[in-house]
Structure formats: C-alpha cells, structure tokens
Amino acid sequence: MRTMNSTDQEIIEKMQSNPNVGMKLLMDVYQERLYWHIRRLVVSHDDAQDLLQETFLKVYRSFSSFKGNSSLFSWLYRVATNVTLSSLRVQKLESCPLDGVRGVESDRYFEFGDEETVALQKAIHSLPPKQQAVFNMRYYDEMKYADMSRILNTSEGALKASYHIAMKKITAYVQMHEQ
C-alpha cells in the first residue's frame, strides 16, 4: 500500500464516517485538477463540467471500492479517465473536439496567446482518445509512467510507446499544417 498524505487520509476517514463532508473535502482538494484532466480530453467546458459531475457521483457511490492499493489521486484520475473515455466512445464526442478546438481561441476558459498553442491543441485532438489521455497526463500533468500505469491499467512499456507515437503524430500534424 502506498503512503497516503495527511489530506488524503483525512478525506478517506471523512468519507467513511460522514460521506457528505468527506465528498466536499475531496472536491475541494481535487476538483480543479480533475476538471482540467477531463477538459483537455473533451475541449468543451460544458462537457467537462458534466463529466466532472458524473465522475464525482461515481466516486461518491463507489468509494467503498477504494482499497488504498494506489494513491487516492491515482484512483480519482482512473475514475475520471474511465468516465471520460467511456463518454467519448458512447457519444462519439471524438468527432467533435477538432470543431471545438477551432473556436477555442475565443474560449474564456482557455488562454491561448499564440497560434502554436492552438496548433498543438488541434494536433492533440487528432489523436485517438486514449492516446490523448496518455499524452496529456505525461505532457501537461508531468505524471510518472508508473502512476499512469495504475490509472489506465496499462503497462509502463505500452504507455511509453503510446506517448512516443503521440509525439511523432503531433509533430507530423503541426509540421503538415505549418505549410
């Protein structure tokens, strides 16, 4: 079992003794990080908010299944990632992100100051959803492959390969669209 930080331990204890108070504490600590993890995958603020709410409902309902075999952070990211990827598969949102990215320059939630950043977002959203998740976790969250492995239930080697392939695709996409 991984060592829990004091905040995570407090959240776990509150979730067990008073789930409503525990959930409020959990949301206070993790809401922003989970929101941006989801948001990078779906682009739309409204979709990200809906999926974040769905994530927290799932966490609330299934908290008893958290056994402490991973950090609370890893477990929450796993839930958020699974909820988001399932939504992308079911609702076929993967066909929408590029359209969403085209208008993201004027999105008040994203601060894109240059064309390169917008091009990067378009390139990321040209990837399959799971590859986007791998890229975002590594590139933006600077997550270790071991943590990503626990979240995505995939081997570290496969994640390294996926990230490498994503980098090549992104580079090719950006170079192709610079011309």
Side-chain angles (χ1 to χ4, degrees), residues 144-178:
K144 295 177 181 171
Y145 286 109
D147 292 333
M148 291 168 55
S149 176
R150 284 187 286 279
I151 291 167
L152 296 171
N153 200 26
T154 304
S155 74
E156 289 183 47
L159 292 168
K160 288 175 183 178
S162 183
Y163 183 75
H164 180 73
I165 292 167
M167 286 294 290
K168 282 185 165 195
K169 288 179 179 179
I170 288 168
T171 301
Y173 183 97
V174 170
Q175 287 173 347
M176 183 175 76
H177 289 86
E178 283 180 343

Side-chain angles (χ1 to χ4, degrees), residues 55-95:
T55 296
F56 282 132
L57 281 171
K58 189 166 190 149
V59 164
Y60 184 81
R61 290 180 183 143
S62 64
F63 195 79
S64 62
S65 70
F66 176 68
K67 303 297 182 209
N69 296 332
S70 63
S71 69
L72 183 59
F73 169 81
S74 291
W75 185 74
L76 293 169
Y77 257 62
R78 183 179 316 122
V79 173
T81 301
N82 289 340
V83 164
T84 304
L85 292 178
S86 291
S87 178
L88 288 170
R89 279 190 299 272
V90 170
Q91 297 178 13
K92 300 289 186 221
L93 290 176
E94 62 261 31
S95 62

Side-chain angles (χ1 to χ4, degrees), residues 4 7 16 20-21 55 77 87 95 104 127 130 135 137 162 166:
M4 297 281 168
T7 305
Q16 293 168 343
N20 292 334
V21 172
T55 296
Y77 257 62
S87 178
S95 62
V104 87
L127 300 171
K130 191 168 182 181
F135 180 83
M137 288 175 178
S162 183

